Amino acid sequence: MSQRPITEDDLHAFVDQALAPERRGEVASYLNDHPDAAGRVAAFASQREQLRSALASIANEPVPAELNLSHIIEGRKRRPLRAWMAIAALLLVGIGGLGGWTVRSLLQGGSNGLSALAQEAAYSYGVYAPDRVRPVERIACGRSKYVLPTAPSSRNGCPAG
Amino acid sequence: MKDMLVQVEPLIPSLRRYARALMRDRTTADDLVQDCLERAVSRWHQRRDGSVRAWLFTILHNLAVTQFRQTATRGRHMPIDDAGERELASAAAQEHRLIYQDVLNKLARLPEEQRAVLLLVAVEDFSYADAAKLLDVPVGTVMSRLSRARERLQQEMEGAAPGNVVELRSVK
């Protein structure tokens, strides 16, 4: 007897008809000699048959509409369209934003009308407001001071005399 | 898409059977199969060469495992016994249906891992190696789960006398 010992796996494979014919014969002859093991194998085989019969009816039911593969594929095909719509929407928002920005800079840099005036006013303010040496408002009575650059300027009214 | 229809459509009944036997509840099972088919459609080009059937069952099984985890954290949507009783009531006239229901009730009491192996091997006819690949476990694990599932189912069947089923129903 040089054959491999029968394993538990062999018994299951016997039940599931997964053995090569030669091994199957070996297991069968083993079961002939071992009624305990044969009993278990018979019980497992009966389980298997009961399970298969009990569940067979499910596989024979008509397939419900929501599991109709053609419908699922159809639904899938329609979905990319929705994706394209999303991309289009994003693109439109992008174009809007970019356009708005361009127009804004154009309007700001405008060289005519009210915006030009405002721009000039802003520049003038920027140039003259911080300048303390040459105040914009001068008083007429202190005219002599303008002639002499060395004299200290006074912004607090005319000096007496 | 055409070859997909040809290859996948004939497998839908067995996917439903596996999902139903695993989840027990018809709606839950069919929702799972629907998810599975949608994934299959969107990932059809990603699948590797090999059995489409094993690929589909792998997707379905992974979805089922996710569902089990969610059920474990959120609590069951519908008590399993209620589902069994409802189905029992509709089939009460036929005695052989009762016996089948009995097997299914006992199957439902097995741990999910064991139930999955038993179903894949004994009902869906996957080889041990394919089942192992599908469940992402070694073949040895498949064999030990199969063995435990069968022993336990056998104990349950021997433990329950034929009258017990009826008695349980009247108590409920």
Side-chain angles (χ1 to χ4, degrees):
Chain A
M1 285 290 269
S2 63
Q3 78 173 46
R4 281 151 48 220
I6 303 294
T7 62
E8 188 72 13
D9 289 7
D10 285 324
L11 300 186
H12 288 288
F14 186 85
V15 171
D16 295 315
Q17 289 147 28
L19 287 175
E22 196 187 333
R23 188 67 174 160
R24 188 169 179 81
E26 288 172 12
V27 174
S29 68
Y30 171 87
L31 291 177
N32 267 335
D33 301 338
H34 299 82
D36 281 3
R40 279 178 60 225
V41 165
F44 293 162
S46 134
Q47 266 182 29
R48 185 182 145 100
E49 284 318 305
Q50 282 189 45
L51 275 179
R52 289 172 88 93
S53 322
L55 296 170
S57 63
I58 298 169
N60 292 330
E61 285 173 12
V63 174
E66 64 266 23
L67 300 184
N68 187 324
L69 196 60
S70 323
H71 294 176
I72 292 174
I73 294 173
E74 278 292 304
R76 185 76 208 165
K77 273 187 192 152
R78 240 176 289 132
R79 221 168 291 164
L81 213 130
R82 248 181 271 160
W84 279 114
M85 278 166 77
I87 291 170
L90 262 171
L91 220 77
L92 283 175
V93 168
I95 288 171
L98 211 79
W101 188 257
T102 315
V103 170
R104 189 187 104 102
S105 55
L106 272 176
L107 278 179
Q108 270 194 342
S111 54
N112 53 352
L114 210 60
S115 67
L117 190 68
Q119 194 84 58
E120 253 183 67
Y123 288 152
S124 303
Y125 181 81
V127 170
Y128 294 110
D131 190 350
R132 289 167 179 233
V133 183
R134 278 160 292 170
V136 176
E137 285 170 27
R138 296 182 188 242
I139 298 156
C141 56
R143 192 169 297 176
S144 57
K145 296 256 164 73
Y146 306 145
V147 186
L148 302 163
T150 48
S153 72
S154 165
R155 270 174 276 157
N156 303 323
C158 296
Chain B
M1 281 292 145
K2 187 84 180 168
D3 64 322
M4 185 182 113
L5 203 64
V6 173
Q7 289 187 64
V8 174
E9 209 164 28
L11 301 173
I12 296 175
S14 62
L15 289 169
R16 287 186 75 217
R17 175 175 57 198
Y18 179 63
R20 183 97 58 93
L22 206 58
M23 312 303 290
R24 287 305 305 275
D25 178 53
R26 186 194 170 117
T27 318
T28 314
D30 279 351
D31 284 353
L32 218 58
V33 175
Q34 191 177 353
D35 274 3
C36 167
L37 293 176
E38 270 164 12
R39 266 161 213 247
V41 170
S42 65
R43 296 177 191 176
W44 181 247
H45 57 283
Q46 290 174 20
R47 84 187 190 289
R48 279 179 236 139
D49 288 335
S51 156
V52 172
R53 188 159 184 267
W55 180 67
L56 284 172
F57 269 84
T58 309
I59 298 176
L60 182 63
H61 182 81
N62 290 340
L63 287 168
V65 169
T66 312
Q67 180 99 21
F68 281 138
R69 285 197 195 125
Q70 282 175 358
T71 316
T73 49
R74 266 190 229 151
R76 217 173 272 285
H77 160 68
M78 182 165 63
I80 232 165
D81 292 336
D82 284 2
E85 192 151 44
R86 194 188 53 192
E87 281 164 37
L88 263 177
S90 67
Q94 294 157 291
E95 199 180 337
H96 70 280
R97 293 283 305 263
L98 262 179
I99 296 167
Y100 290 160
Q101 200 56 56
D102 190 38
V103 176
L104 295 184
N105 285 338
K106 285 176 175 130
L107 177 77
R109 267 182 241 141
L110 293 181
E112 280 130 21
E113 296 172 343
Q114 294 178 19
R115 205 183 328 155
V117 169
L118 188 59
L119 288 169
L120 289 174
V121 167
V123 180
E124 305 301 339
D125 285 330
F126 280 101
S127 71
Y128 300 144
D130 283 348
K133 213 185 289 172
L134 201 157
L135 301 170
D136 199 22
V137 295
V139 178
T141 308
V142 166
M143 294 316 293
S144 66
R145 284 182 190 170
L146 180 65
S147 176
R148 268 179 276 147
R150 281 183 163 151
E151 294 289 356
R152 191 160 163 179
L153 203 56
Q154 199 51 36
Q155 276 171 16
E156 295 251 10
M157 286 171 131
E158 281 164 6
N164 267 6
V165 183
V166 181
E167 207 179 307
L168 272 174
R169 278 176 62 216
S170 63
V171 168
K172 253 257 157 185

